[in-house]
Amino acid sequence: MLLEEMSWDEVEERLKTTKTIIVPYGSCEAHGFHAPLFTDTKIAFEIALKVAEELDIFVAPAMPYGVCRTTRNFSGTLSLSFDSLKSLTFDLLQELAETGFEQIILFSGHCGKSQLIALREAGFLYTKNSDKSKVFLVSAADLVDERIKKLTESPLYHADELETSLMLFLTPSLVKMDKAIKEVPKIPKYLIKTTGRPWMKSSVLGDAAKATYEKGEKIFNILVKNFIEIVKTF
Ligand SMILES: [Zn+2]
């Protein structure tokens, strides 16, 4: 039920059986020396795909860019502005609703504050102007529960034990564990800044070295299960 792989008439036909779609959002963003820039996109996409398979619902093409603030100026981090993400998402919501989707789930693998507020604002604007479709916002962080916290040994922030474990499970050839490090940078909390780079060496916030494939597999299955439970309540 991957929208981009279907023909228009297949979409029209399948819309008779479900009107729910997940729209995965990621980022093109530094994830340490060890993990690829599309880490958030890959994680969001694979979770969305598995949930959609289980529930027989649609998945929209994954959005490869997001609003990245802390990792700006690390080469390869390509951040959208808040307004761009908001207006792009608003356009998408209108188009998806017009296509016939009545439940639109925005699912973000990138959990930066600005990213989530931009998506929420787009959903708010849409909902204020139309009652045709319901819009939901779920982030990967919403799916993390006590079981996952028990499975991991370090606090979870970014390019950390959790994300690195997931990437080891989802795409092991792109993770260089010999370059995975622990870093807990002291980024000034109250200072308004355009990047966190001066306070960071690797762009890791957490302990990527503790990641394993086995943890990744278990974490992935829990995240999928938790997402399914959330979608069932919609
Ligand atoms: Zn990430």
Side-chain angles (χ1 to χ4, degrees):
M1 295 282 256
L2 199 47
L3 199 73
E4 69 213 65
E5 291 185 355
M6 300 169 78
S7 60
W8 71 267
D9 54 313
E10 282 169 347
V11 174
E12 213 165 80
E13 194 56 34
R14 294 309 292 269
L15 270 165
K16 291 175 186 160
T17 58
T18 179
K19 292 179 168 43
T20 303
I21 189 163
I22 304 175
V23 190
Y25 281 79
S27 66
C28 183
E29 163 175 53
H31 276 76
F33 303 122
H34 67 287
L37 298 164
F38 85 142
T39 290
D40 295 342
T41 315
K42 179 73 179 167
I43 291 171
F45 180 71
E46 293 294 340
I47 292 174
L49 200 59
K50 189 78 188 150
V51 170
E53 265 172 32
E54 299 281 330
L55 297 175
D56 216 10
I57 57 179
F58 286 89
V59 181
M63 173 65 187
Y65 301 106
V67 181
C68 308
R69 296 278 165 87
T70 312
T71 54
R72 281 189 68 249
N73 290 9
F74 282 99
S75 297
T77 295
L78 305 174
S79 177
L80 294 179
S81 70
F82 179 91
D83 291 336
S84 294
L85 182 66
K86 183 177 126 186
S87 74
L88 179 146
T89 300
F90 180 71
D91 288 350
L92 262 183
L93 289 172
Q94 284 186 309
E95 292 290 304
L96 287 165
E98 214 171 293
T99 303
F101 293 103
E102 291 177 358
Q103 292 190 307
I104 305 167
I105 305 163
L106 306 177
F107 174 56
S108 193
H110 173 58
C111 302
K113 258 186 243 163
S114 307
Q115 167 97 358
L116 297 178
I117 297 171
L119 298 180
R120 182 167 292 282
E121 280 297 300
F124 176 78
L125 260 188
Y126 172 81
T127 306
K128 211 172 148 192
N129 291 303
S130 169
D131 56 5
K132 207 169 163 194
S133 308
K134 284 197 166 71
V135 183
F136 303 88
L137 173 61
V138 181
S139 79
D142 293 325
L143 309 178
V144 173
D145 64 9
E146 284 309 313
R147 285 175 296 171
I148 290 177
K149 284 178 190 158
K150 263 185 207 152
L151 269 173
T152 48
E153 301 161 53
S154 60
L156 305 172
Y157 301 108
H158 172 77
D160 50 16
E161 184 180 356
L162 178 136
E163 285 192 328
T164 305
S165 295
L166 284 170
M167 288 303 275
L168 279 172
F169 172 59
L170 297 171
T171 174
S173 64
L174 294 179
V175 185
K176 306 169 204 73
M177 278 313 283
D178 54 325
K179 292 185 171 177
I181 61 162
K182 175 183 180 179
E183 188 177 358
V184 187
K186 290 203 165 36
I187 302 169
K189 192 175 160 188
Y190 300 104
L191 176 69
I192 296 175
K193 51 208 168 294
T194 58
T195 170
R197 182 152 188 187
W199 299 275
M200 301 162 95
K201 190 174 81 174
S202 67
S203 78
V204 170
L205 282 104
D207 191 352
K210 291 218 157 59
T212 66
Y213 175 98
E214 289 71 25
K215 284 179 197 170
E217 184 176 21
K218 284 182 191 154
I219 291 168
F220 181 78
N221 291 330
I222 296 172
L223 294 174
V224 166
K225 225 170 149 237
N226 289 348
F227 198 1
I228 288 173
E229 291 311 311
I230 291 174
V231 175
K232 280 183 180 167
T233 66
F234 293 165

